[in-house]
Amino acid sequence: MTSQNIQAIRAAYAGFASRDIEAVLAVMRPDVAWVHPDGMADYGLGGTKRGHAGIREFLARVPAVLGGMRLEPREFVEAGDRVVVFGTREVTSRRGTTAELDFVHSWTMRDGRAARMEDIFDTVAFHRLIES
């Protein structure tokens, strides 16, 4: 049986897949912290975004940097209020180069909704792709 927390996180990935921002935000607490590596700051994608407005701002910035992205979560691991997702993302640069890059997403849940999401990935590989 899948836990409530994993069901919520799976719903977020379904929202990402269908480009349904409202479905993604429904899984997030209003005060959510959305954390990306500081190494992505050169592209306006690094650091911590706060709340639904911060996530909307972040997601609106992505098309200015990337031609496309598709997330493929592969494994969900739950420990207490934490759900860790291991997966790959297929990323396409603005120039049309596509690569598959690994990610780890660490979700901290509170009362069935995400209070924090941290995206962990190889920023050097991401930079190379963006510039290709």
Side-chain angles (χ1 to χ4, degrees):
M1 183 158 168
T2 304
S3 75
Q4 176 186 3
N5 285 342
I6 289 179
Q7 286 175 9
I9 299 308
R10 285 186 184 278
Y13 287 108
F16 285 125
S18 65
R19 306 280 192 248
D20 184 348
I21 304 243
E22 295 309 313
V24 173
L25 294 178
V27 175
M28 313 285 174
R29 294 179 53 81
D31 60 345
V32 64
W34 179 272
V35 183
H36 273 240
D38 289 336
M40 297 302 291
D42 290 351
Y43 303 102
L45 300 176
T48 301
K49 310 304 184 232
R50 302 253 179 228
H52 291 189
I55 292 172
R56 284 180 196 280
E57 178 183 312
F58 174 85
L59 293 175
R61 175 78 182 125
V62 172
V65 177
L66 299 173
M69 181 167 38
R70 185 179 58 80
L71 299 174
E72 182 65 39
R74 299 190 186 265
E75 182 180 358
F76 294 76
V77 179
E78 185 173 21
D81 65 353
R82 177 84 43 108
V83 175
V84 178
V85 180
F86 297 88
T88 58
R89 57 167 54 103
E90 182 179 279
V91 184
T92 303
S93 73
R94 302 269 303 154
R95 294 180 185 98
T97 303
T98 299
E100 189 173 281
L101 305 172
D102 293 329
F103 72 78
V104 176
H105 288 164
S106 175
W107 299 83
T108 303
M109 306 297 286
R110 192 170 21 163
D111 301 324
R113 294 173 75 194
R116 178 182 175 91
M117 192 290 288
E118 185 172 357
D119 192 355
I120 303 159
F121 58 91
D122 182 344
T123 58
V124 173
F126 218 98
H127 279 244
R128 285 185 190 131
L129 179 64
I130 289 171
E131 299 300 325
S132 67

